[in-house]
Amino acid sequence: MDKNGIAAVAKSIRSLSIDAIQKAKSGHPGLPLGCAELAAVLYGEVLKHNPANSKWADRDRFVLSAGHGSMLLYSILFLSGYKVSLDDIKNFRQVGSACPGHPEYGWTDGVENTSGPLGQGIALAVGMAMAETMMAAKFNTENHKIVDHYTYCLCGEGCLEEGVSSEASSFAGHNKLGKLILFYDQNKISIDGSTDITFTEDIGKRYESYGWQVLKGDMYDVEGLLSLINQAKACTDKPSIIMLKSVIGKFAPKQGTSAVHGEPLGDADVAETKKNLGINPEEFFYVDPDALRYFEEKKAAFAKREQDWKNEFELWAKENPELASMWNNAMEGKGDCKTEDPVYQTGSSIATRTASGDMINAIGLTHSTFVGGSADLKGSNKSGMKCDGGTWSFENRAGRSVEYGIREFGMADEAVGMSLHGGIRPFVATYLVFSDYMRPAIRLASIMKQPVIFDLTHDSIYVGEDGPTHQPIEHLASLRAIPGVQVLRPGDAEETVAAWHIAMESKDHPVVLALTRQNVPVYAKEDSLWKENIKKGAYIVHKGSDSPDVTVIATGSEVSMALDAAKLVSDKSVRVVSVIDKSLFEAQDCNFKESVLGKTARIMVAEAGCCTGWEGYVKCKSDLFTIDRFGESGPGKKVAEALGFTAENLANRIMSNC
């Protein structure tokens, strides 16, 4: 190890970080000042990476869970040779800068994930480590190991206080993710002061109980850091947490206090910090020449490591052309062959959760890296994969069915981490009402444009006896409100098949499927082109006439309710439209929307949820046939009757004047 080079890199990280934060008049200097040696050792001595190609498939991944310390990451990316310039760093936290306030995936070269919401980075890292095991089991052969890398993550006390870190860490320990290494920046400081005011648990014992290897050391002992990392890598049946005692804001006059956590040091303290580092206080954005020399001398070795892998990959591909084809499809998010759709008879009755389960297994047969699981509910939400080769575990990394346990938040983030890793197409399943637990992860998936599929069943009051706590009311509106999230609520089994195809075709956004617990009829569809028009968000199920008196737009189980209501109306022409995707339909051109809705003076909406978002379709509130209160406990049909949510009452609304 070139200790002088490491020291020069650490000094440069500190210099760049404090100047960037001071210039921006915003940022978090404490972590970059406190963890500079770790970043230098990781990027210089440990990571298998090539800064010239940040997307090399078999690179090690580094996740900065404590995303507020982003200048640590930007500085080391710049110094090690990624496409981050000094000018980018000088524009830290400015609009359009490649160095935004928190790391953003897809925006900055070398950044593996968006982070900032504390704790979620740990769960994303767990998902990446999961994906590595799955890809290795799928593609490695006796002669060639083309998937063999580690996932590293840096967290602080805040990450460990957030509940999602507990969910993810428990899951990782249970599943013995030996290639996951978590660094804990143990500075014992948070925004409001010492962590002793709120956080006094024994982290080491906590992680031992999760089934992790626990190692302890000093953040500033660079040889010790390397030794600890090697110990972590030697343990193949446990993830490792390396607890590193550190000083927040090291070298700053107020080091070791909350004053250096989340605001610029100030001009005077920046100058004093530079003096402590041996840097001229009048020199800004100082980079030690030895830091640049250190990484320049590493450049050839970085490139050689990738080239060696490419050579190995070419030999593997020649020997395993079928696997190579699957690899290419996996990396492009494509299936290995066309999915054979299940077929349903008009007039039959089937829950859309059941039809979804049929599609999960049909897709699983044709997409070899399609992976999914449920929060201890696969029997109920019908998400079990029968074609998966078993359950994924330490003993069976080739399994494609994941048992997540009752950890919805962690589960959702882990799926996002798998998607970020690449080569795996994940879905996760639970009840729609529990999307509340997953919402921060769904939002993060959308920010990062990850096509994770969220299979959410039991989508309305028809859940029945479990009562108001399990009957979603506001959840469809809540999910539709997240930019970029596609919410699909199919009305019958055939629409569910179409919904899964739409979901699988998504490349740059997450998809929510909202599915029924109760059986619903498979209805006739008067639009002969419905399979194409549904891809635009809506289509005509029952035409009524070219100029209907009333058009009822409905979603999910309410489409069949609207069809039943239309049969009860004798004095008006009624059109029924299935809106599988409200946002997508609203994005279409006026001609298409008019062709679907018809030339009508009155539109009504039927959805078993709150009216939020539908108000603009109707002229009077009574034309919103929605549920704007919590439900009741009882059999689903009886609950609907008690709430007046029936086809008969909808028909009466249609027949009455607005």
Side-chain angles (χ1 to χ4, degrees), residues 27-28 31-32 64-71 93 101-103 115-116 118 261:
H28 298 74
L31 186 145
L64 180 62
S65 184
H68 55 271
S70 58
M71 268 312 306
R93 287 196 163 211
H102 290 81
S115 57
L118 293 179
H261 169 79

Side-chain angles (χ1 to χ4, degrees), residues 495 523 525 527 530 533-534 537-541 576-579 596:
E495 287 190 17
Y523 39 75
K525 299 160 179 67
D527 182 356
W530 76 269
N533 287 331
I534 199 172
Y539 72 97
I540 300 168
V541 180
V576 176
V577 170
S578 175
V579 180
V596 172

Side-chain angles (χ1 to χ4, degrees), residues 495-547:
E495 287 190 17
T496 304
V497 171
W500 265 103
H501 283 300
I502 293 169
M504 290 299 291
E505 288 167 8
S506 68
K507 303 296 183 187
D508 62 358
H509 60 270
V511 178
V512 167
L513 301 174
L515 304 162
T516 69
R517 173 184 186 264
Q518 78 278 18
N519 289 342
V520 290
V522 178
Y523 39 75
K525 299 160 179 67
E526 293 185 11
D527 182 356
S528 61
L529 299 176
W530 76 269
K531 289 185 179 180
E532 291 303 313
N533 287 331
I534 199 172
K535 297 176 184 177
K536 298 179 180 179
Y539 72 97
I540 300 168
V541 180
H542 174 68
K543 187 175 182 179
S545 70
D546 290 335
S547 300

Side-chain angles (χ1 to χ4, degrees), residues 131 232 274 449 453 490:
K274 289 181 180 179
K449 300 183 178 180
I453 298 171

Side-chain angles (χ1 to χ4, degrees), residues 29 66 88 118 166 224 281 305 309 317 355 373 383 391 445 463 494 533 549 570 595 640:
D88 292 329
L118 293 179
S166 297
R305 195 147 192 196
W309 178 83
S383 62
T391 299
V463 169
E494 289 184 328
N533 287 331
D549 296 311
S570 57
S595 71

Side-chain angles (χ1 to χ4, degrees), residues 22 49 141 172 209 237 245 296 325 401 420 493 539 587 597 604:
Q22 189 62 30
H49 68 136
T141 64
S209 74
D237 63 349
K245 289 188 176 179
E296 183 63 29
S325 176
S401 183
L420 286 167
Y539 72 97
L597 298 176
M604 297 183 68

Side-chain angles (χ1 to χ4, degrees), residues 6 39-47 49 76 80 294-295 298 302:
I6 293 291
V41 170
L42 267 180
Y43 278 77
E45 302 292 331
V46 175
L47 288 184
H49 68 136
I76 194 62
S80 60
Y294 172 80
F295 277 114
K298 295 279 183 181
F302 289 152

Side-chain angles (χ1 to χ4, degrees), residues 4-21:
N4 289 333
I6 293 291
V9 172
K11 179 192 285 190
S12 301
I13 289 171
R14 292 186 168 106
S15 169
L16 293 170
S17 296
I18 60 175
D19 279 345
I21 292 165

